[in-house]
Amino acid sequence: MDGALRVKRMTDQELAGKRVLIREDLNVPVADGKVTSDARIRAALPTIQLAVRAGARVMVMSHLGRPVEGAFDPAQSLAPVAERLTELLGTKVRLVRDWLDGVEIAPGEVVLCENVRFNAGEKKDDEALSRRMAALCDVFVMDAFGTAHRAEASTHGVARYAPIACAGPLLAGELEALGKALEHPKRPLVAIVAGSKVSTKLTVLEALTRKVDKLIVGGGIANTFIAAAGHKVGRSLMEADLIPEAKRLMEAARARGGEIPVPTDVVVADRFAADAEADVRRVDAVGEGEMILDIGPDTAERLAGILKEAGTIVWNGPVGVFEFDQFGEGTRVLAEAIAASPAFSIAGGGDTLAAVDKYEVADRISYVSTGGGAFLEFLEGRTLPAVAMLESRAQG
Ligand code: ADP
Ligand code: MG
C-alpha cells in the first residue's frame, strides 16, 4: 500500500446540471421526532454544500435504524433528519418518500431520499435495486464511511452500475487520515476497544493484536476478559461463549512479551439505572447480583499512564456506562488522558463520539472519525467493500 487512494473523487467531477446521488451516513439518534445528536449531519454538510455550489441536482440517501425492509415505517422516517438538514443548510430540503422511479430536481436543489432500508433488497445488495438507484443519477458519490464496511445496495451495488462512481470528500478524508495514521504509526500504537457490542468487537481483536503494541479493553469486552482471568462478574454484560477466545488472546499477548491489561478494580451496581448507586470493588470481589458498569479509579490511572507513553492512540468504545455520571469516571479519565497526550489520536464510533462531546475533548483529539464498525475493520487492515467497489470502478 502506498497510501494513495485509488478511487475517483467527487471534487474532480464535472457536476453542473448533473444528477448527483450522494450516499451519506445520517443514521443519527432521534427522540420524540427530533434529532438529538447531529454530529453526522454536520460532518456530511460540506459535501452536500460543495455539490450544491457546483450546480448539481442533489439527491442524498441514508439509512436510519434497522426497519423491516419492504415497508414504510413512520418511526424510522428520515423526516427529523430532513428538518435538521434544512436548518443547517439554510435552504429547504425536500424529503421524498417514493424515489426509486426518479425525482424531479432543479440544479442547486437538495432532496433527501427516504430511508434506504425501506427498500426490499437493500441489505442483500440486490442487483435489481442497485440498478434502479444507479439509473437515478449521472454521478454516484459514496461518502458514508460509517457504512463502507457493508456491501449493501446503496453503498456498494449502486456504485457498480452508476455511470460514474466516486468518493465524496468526507469518505476520502476519513480514508486518508486513517491511512496516514495507521500505515506508519508512531509507536507505541495503543488501541482502546470497549463498549457494548461484545461479540462483534471481540472477534476483531485477534487481527488487531497483530497491528497494535498495546490493547486496552473496556466495557463488556473487559468484563469478558475479567471472566477469562477467572474472576466472578455477577450479572455483568459479557459474552460467555468468547471466554476461551479472550484467554487465547491474553496468552498470545503474553507470548509476545506484552499483556492485555485486565482491570484490577471496577465500579459495580446492583442494577442498570440512572439512579443506581455505584460501588468500587477489587476485581476479585464482585458480588453475584452485581454488574460491572465501569473500570475502577486505580485501573483508570494505570491505563492513563499507558496512554501517556503512546505514540499513536486509536479509541473505539466507552469503557463504562458513561451516560450515567457515576459510571462515567473511567471514560472521562481516559478521554482526558488521550486529550493531554502528545500522541496522534483517533476516536471513532457513535457512542464514543457522544463521550468525546460529553467530556469536551473533541478539539484535543487529532482526528475524530464518523465510523464505528468501519473504523475497526479499517484498523484491522481489511478492505472495506464499498471502497473496493470504487477502486474497481476507477480502473475502467
Ligand atoms: P460505539 O458506538 O462507540 O462503537 P458501542 O456501541 O459498542 O460503542 O458501546 C457503547 C455503549 O456501551 C454505551 O452506551 C455504554 O453505556 C455501554 N457500556 C460501556 N461499558 C459497559 C458495561 N460495563 N456494561 C454495560 N454497558 C456498557
Ligand atoms: Mg454504539
Side-chain angles (χ1 to χ4, degrees):
M1 275 273 296
D2 57 5
L5 292 186
R6 293 182 212 85
V7 299
K8 286 187 179 157
R9 290 165 188 266
M10 182 183 109
T11 44
D12 293 332
Q13 309 304 316
E14 179 54 59
L15 301 180
K18 299 274 173 63
R19 296 171 304 152
V20 177
L21 178 62
I22 306 176
R23 174 60 157 100
E24 293 289 356
D25 178 358
L26 306 179
N27 181 30
V28 293
V30 172
D32 299 327
K34 291 277 175 215
V35 171
T36 55
S37 168
D38 65 358
R40 281 177 163 161
I41 303 177
R42 282 186 282 114
L45 215 53
T47 301
I48 297 170
Q49 283 167 329
L50 210 62
V52 168
R53 277 202 297 273
R57 304 166 194 268
V58 183
M59 290 166 274
V60 179
M61 57 178 177
S62 174
H63 69 289
L64 183 77
R66 294 166 190 271
V68 178
E69 277 188 10
F72 173 77
D73 172 3
Q76 318 240 29
S77 164
L78 282 171
V81 174
E83 194 179 310
R84 187 74 190 110
L85 197 53
T86 295
E87 287 166 10
L88 290 168
L89 276 174
T91 71
K92 174 77 186 162
V93 174
R94 206 156 31 97
L95 178 67
V96 182
R97 169 97 74 97
D98 298 305
W99 48 276
L100 281 171
D101 291 322
V103 185
E104 288 288 325
I105 323 168
E109 196 192 354
V110 181
V111 302
L112 181 62
C113 304
E114 186 55 283
N115 197 341
V116 291
R117 289 191 181 161
F118 291 160
N119 299 318
E122 165 64 17
K123 297 212 72 146
K124 287 219 167 87
D125 201 15
D126 178 70
E127 180 182 331
L129 177 62
S130 302
R131 285 186 185 274
R132 284 178 81 188
M133 289 178 183
L136 295 172
C137 68
D138 303 302
V139 179
F140 169 67
V141 178
M142 174 60 185
D143 203 35
F145 178 70
T147 51
H149 61 312
R150 300 199 186 103
E152 299 179 349
S154 68
T155 60
H156 176 266
V158 59
R160 184 194 301 270
Y161 304 111
I164 293 175
C166 59
L170 176 61
L171 175 67
E174 292 260 16
L175 294 171
E176 275 167 346
L178 295 178
K180 183 166 145 271
L182 300 172
E183 210 165 319
H184 303 291
K186 191 157 179 272
R187 304 277 174 179
L189 167 57
V190 180
I192 304 170
V193 181
S196 58
K197 293 178 206 135
V198 184
S199 54
T200 50
K201 292 188 182 185
L202 216 143
T203 42
V204 309
L205 292 186
E206 162 95 78
L208 216 55
T209 49
R210 281 185 250 115
K211 310 264 169 194
V212 305
D213 300 302
K214 192 119 205 165
L215 179 66
I216 290 176
V217 290
I221 298 152
N223 294 344
T224 309
F225 279 82
I226 292 171
H231 303 300
K232 299 215 165 62
V233 297
R235 297 190 295 124
S236 303
L237 171 71
M238 65 109 169
E239 200 75 53
D241 290 351
L242 290 173
I243 290 175
E245 171 73 4
K247 277 190 183 150
R248 244 177 10 85
L249 288 166
M250 287 197 286
E251 276 154 25
R254 234 173 271 131
R256 281 193 298 267
E259 56 148 356
I260 297 171
V262 170
T264 49
D265 60 343
V266 291
V267 182
V268 301
D270 54 12
R271 60 206 172 91
F272 187 100
D275 62 350
E277 199 174 316
D279 278 312
V280 177
R281 295 257 186 287
R282 272 179 39 180
V283 71
D284 57 7
V286 175
E288 222 153 79
E290 293 177 332
M291 304 165 128
I292 303 172
L293 297 180
D294 195 7
I295 56 175
D298 291 350
T299 302
E301 274 316 307
R302 182 163 56 106
L303 298 179
I306 293 172
L307 294 170
K308 207 170 160 189
E309 306 296 321
T312 306
I313 300 168
V314 290
W315 176 25
N316 171 255
V319 295
V321 183
F322 73 98
E323 295 90 339
F324 307 152
D325 287 342
Q326 67 276 37
F327 308 110
E329 277 304 289
T331 303
R332 185 186 65 75
V333 168
L334 294 200
E336 280 172 5
I338 296 167
S341 159
F344 187 87
S345 52
I346 308 172
D351 295 292
T352 307
L353 295 196
V356 162
D357 275 348
K358 176 163 181 174
Y359 301 117
E360 300 180 333
V361 292
D363 57 348
R364 285 172 290 151
I365 290 182
S366 314
Y367 189 77
V368 176
S369 170
T370 54
F375 170 80
L376 279 183
E377 289 197 15
F378 186 92
L379 201 62
E380 225 188 302
R382 279 205 235 172
T383 308
L384 307 174
V387 176
M389 177 57 76
L390 295 180
E391 287 174 350
S392 83
R393 287 301 313 276
Q395 273 155 16

